[in-house]
Amino acid sequence: DPNFEIDSFSDGAKKAFEFILKEYSNNNLNNLVKLVSKKMYVAFEGQIKEREKAGENLEITVISVKDPEIKSIKIEKKTTAIIKLSFNSEQVQIVKDKNGEIIDGDNNQILTIKEFWTFSKNLKSEDPNWILEEIEESS
């Protein structure tokens, strides 16, 4: 793609990272349909249903996100671009019960989280969006 620019892609991926985490923690799956793969959607849906069944709410506050680092780029079958990024972020994550009491996490604890997010894009598609395919925790 002659219009592809690494800086523009990285900036968009960083925005997608924050948006996806926000919508996921707010149980807003409808806002993620066009941004995540079917596999990711099903995983998010299952986790949200488990929380709802338990009467729990997840709150993720992203404090900061460093510019993502590209770990790999590949083209599959000459039609799909796949880019794996490393995200380093600082977040506050808490889980509250139905009464609003914190049952996991700490409002005053900032977690340093490193994850690998893999995005794909059909190079023949007019849709400018990249799709989140996978999230892996870094060891």
Side-chain angles (χ1 to χ4, degrees):
D1 180 358
N3 298 319
F4 181 80
E5 294 178 0
I6 293 282
D7 290 343
S8 178
F9 171 79
S10 293
D11 186 51
K14 190 173 169 181
K15 288 177 183 162
F17 175 84
E18 293 185 60
F19 182 80
I20 290 169
L21 285 178
K22 181 177 136 245
E23 296 304 307
Y24 166 71
S25 68
N26 289 331
N27 298 351
N28 292 332
L29 278 176
N30 290 341
N31 295 339
L32 298 180
V33 171
K34 293 183 178 182
L35 298 176
V36 302
S37 68
K38 190 154 200 75
K39 177 181 138 189
M40 287 300 306
Y41 186 90
V42 168
F44 284 165
E45 184 179 46
Q47 293 163 1
I48 288 169
K49 283 182 179 175
E50 278 184 36
R51 287 197 308 262
E52 287 174 341
K53 188 173 158 186
E56 298 173 350
N57 287 312
L58 171 65
E59 293 181 13
I60 298 175
T61 304
V62 178
I63 307 297
S64 70
V65 183
K66 292 183 181 154
D67 286 336
E69 181 182 325
I70 294 176
K71 290 300 189 185
S72 66
I73 299 176
K74 62 184 174 182
I75 306 291
E76 286 188 353
K77 300 177 186 168
K78 297 184 182 179
T79 60
T80 305
I82 299 171
I83 301 180
K84 183 177 188 174
L85 300 167
S86 171
F87 280 98
N88 287 300
S89 65
E90 291 183 327
Q91 303 175 23
V92 174
Q93 296 184 357
I94 57 172
V95 177
K96 293 182 177 179
D97 65 15
K98 61 181 177 253
N99 299 319
E101 300 292 321
I102 295 175
I103 56 173
D104 190 27
D106 181 343
N107 261 333
N108 299 312
Q109 182 182 19
I110 297 175
L111 305 172
T112 300
I113 297 176
K114 183 174 182 179
E115 295 176 320
F116 297 108
W117 284 38
T118 302
F119 292 91
S120 74
K121 181 174 181 356
N122 180 337
L123 298 174
K124 305 233 184 268
S125 171
E126 295 294 319
D127 186 349
N129 288 326
W130 287 74
I131 304 299
L132 176 62
E133 295 288 343
E134 183 176 28
I135 298 174
E136 302 168 73
E137 290 194 24
S138 175
S139 49

